[in-house]
Amino acid sequence: MLKIKLLCSLAIMLAVVAPHPLLSQETIQDQNEDKPSFSLGTELVSRYVWRGIALDLHPHIQGNMNLEHKGLRFDVWATSGISSSFSEIDLTLAYNTGFVTFALIDYFVLDENRMADVDYFRLKHKPGGASNHALEAAVVIENFSSLPLSFTAGTFILGDDRDAANEQQYSTYLEMAYARDWKQYSFTAFFGGTPFKGYYATRAAVTNIGVKAARKLAFGNNVEMMLSSSLLVNPDAKQVYVVFGIRL
């Protein structure tokens, strides 16, 4: 059954990628002209909701560092609860071919009240303790033919995505998003879910429907602030969340 789920996940990801002409000569030329770029940012959010799942209903400080060169990107992202012990550190290695991005994401989640039980370098489940890592392979398609649509497919392939029998679940998440600008605002509507039982739900289900509105404010020539508000609905869990964010 697990092998079948893995094959289904790979088939879904290939189906997402298949219509795209991967590396055109124009794309290769543009990437060769790119120069290394570095960026960082910090955001305050009212709660941490990810893919329709409430991971922590307390305010969080989230930050990221990003290094990119010729389509290859390395990203460090982290979140920490202001009034809770929930913490997460994610490392992403991604390659962009123009319209398609292939990525490997390592999610590392921990409880800061139990730091003695946490070993960052424990990558596999062992009798002495479980790993806090989960490795996801993902594909993202965006800006195809100037359409304001994006498609995401991601599958956990290693780590703590385990069922009750301690077997790898290969939990898969699929999402379609539509983005538009209106006056000073940007809006994104999204629809996501899972094709089978796993981390996101106990069955194939829609787990993440919502809309996000954002507005950028500029202070002088060098300082920008992004205000955002999101309405999220998880039909499978019968939950609704509102998340506010301020990003610098």
Side-chain angles (χ1 to χ4, degrees), residues 15 27 60 87 89 132-133 151 165 217-219 224 234 239 243 245:
T27 300
H60 270 239
S87 185
I89 302 171
N132 291 72
H133 290 271
F151 302 89
L217 302 176
F219 301 92
E224 291 184 343
N234 186 328
Q239 298 293 329
V243 180

Side-chain angles (χ1 to χ4, degrees), residues 35-221:
K35 296 180 179 179
S37 63
F38 177 79
S39 63
L40 56 84
T42 302
E43 186 172 14
L44 171 66
V45 294
S46 58
R47 54 188 56 186
Y48 182 23
V49 182
W50 181 71
R51 294 178 177 176
I53 299 174
L55 297 182
D56 191 14
L57 294 177
H58 296 84
H60 270 239
I61 290 288
Q62 301 178 338
N64 74 287
M65 297 182 294
N66 178 288
L67 180 63
E68 186 169 0
H69 181 53
K70 294 185 178 180
L72 185 65
R73 187 179 83 247
F74 177 69
D75 186 78
V76 180
W77 182 91
T79 185
S80 183
I82 295 177
S83 56
S84 72
S85 60
F86 185 98
S87 185
E88 181 178 337
I89 302 171
D90 300 342
L91 304 180
T92 299
L93 183 63
Y95 182 71
N96 178 266
T97 67
F99 300 116
V100 177
T101 299
F102 300 92
L104 286 175
I105 307 106
D106 173 49
Y107 301 90
F108 181 75
V109 179
L110 66 149
D111 182 346
E112 293 183 343
N113 286 334
R114 304 180 60 184
M115 292 296 289
D117 300 329
V118 176
D119 182 353
Y120 185 83
F121 299 100
R122 184 189 296 135
L123 304 179
K124 296 182 179 181
H125 286 259
K126 299 179 180 179
S131 173
N132 291 72
H133 290 271
L135 184 65
E136 181 184 55
V139 177
V140 179
I141 293 180
E142 56 188 347
N143 301 321
F144 181 72
S145 298
S146 300
L147 295 175
L149 293 173
S150 64
F151 302 89
T152 300
T155 297
F156 286 115
I157 56 176
L158 290 173
D160 66 356
D161 176 42
R162 304 273 173 163
D163 60 18
N166 201 33
E167 296 290 336
Q168 196 76 44
Q169 298 187 102
Y170 300 105
S171 298
T172 296
Y173 179 78
L174 306 174
E175 182 181 283
M176 179 177 66
Y178 175 82
R180 294 293 292 181
D181 292 332
W182 180 72
K183 294 185 177 181
Q184 304 99 330
Y185 300 90
S186 61
F187 295 90
T188 304
F190 46 89
F191 181 93
T194 183
F196 45 70
K197 176 181 177 180
Y199 170 76
Y200 303 99
T202 58
R203 56 184 176 178
V206 176
T207 62
N208 191 25
I209 302 174
V211 61
K212 179 178 181 178
R215 179 177 179 178
K216 183 183 294 184
L217 302 176
F219 301 92
N221 296 326

